[in-house]
Amino acid sequence: METVYAGKCGEVHYKLVVSPENKTVAFSADGMPDADLSGTTVGARLLEEDVLVHVGFNCPHQAINIFLKGVKLVDLGAPTGFRDSISVRSNGEVSKSYPRGERLDELAIAHPAN
């Protein structure tokens, strides 16, 4: 089963398709060449089993940035936190990714009380 993350920046629609069955992570956006993220650390995290992940996007000029924040669950062990990010430029070029470990308490976001 595929998981699709989709959104819009200005007039540009984009989507990130994660297919564990095919072991692929594909990014596409209007007017941009498709990008295969399967071989990146971002792609590896999205394909990994036992991972809970939040995927976020932002859109600076001529690029779309993808941000991961998540937790890797471990049998009989403590879960580990992580963050990662990557950028896909309008010409389809994929930047270097920026993976890092993260303390679990640093991943939590306090939501204001209503």
Side-chain angles (χ1 to χ4, degrees), residues 45-67:
R45 283 291 188 186
L46 291 170
L47 291 170
E48 197 170 5
E49 291 184 19
D50 300 325
V51 169
L52 305 173
V53 65
H54 171 78
V55 180
F57 299 89
N58 75 10
C59 310
H61 186 66
Q62 303 288 323
I64 297 178
N65 296 325
I66 303 167
F67 300 94

Side-chain angles (χ1 to χ4, degrees), residues 65-89:
N65 296 325
I66 303 167
F67 300 94
L68 302 184
K69 177 171 62 170
V71 175
K72 168 68 174 162
L73 304 175
V74 180
D75 286 341
L76 303 175
T80 57
F82 65 88
R83 290 182 189 263
D84 204 345
S85 63
I86 200 163
S87 181
V88 181
R89 294 181 182 82

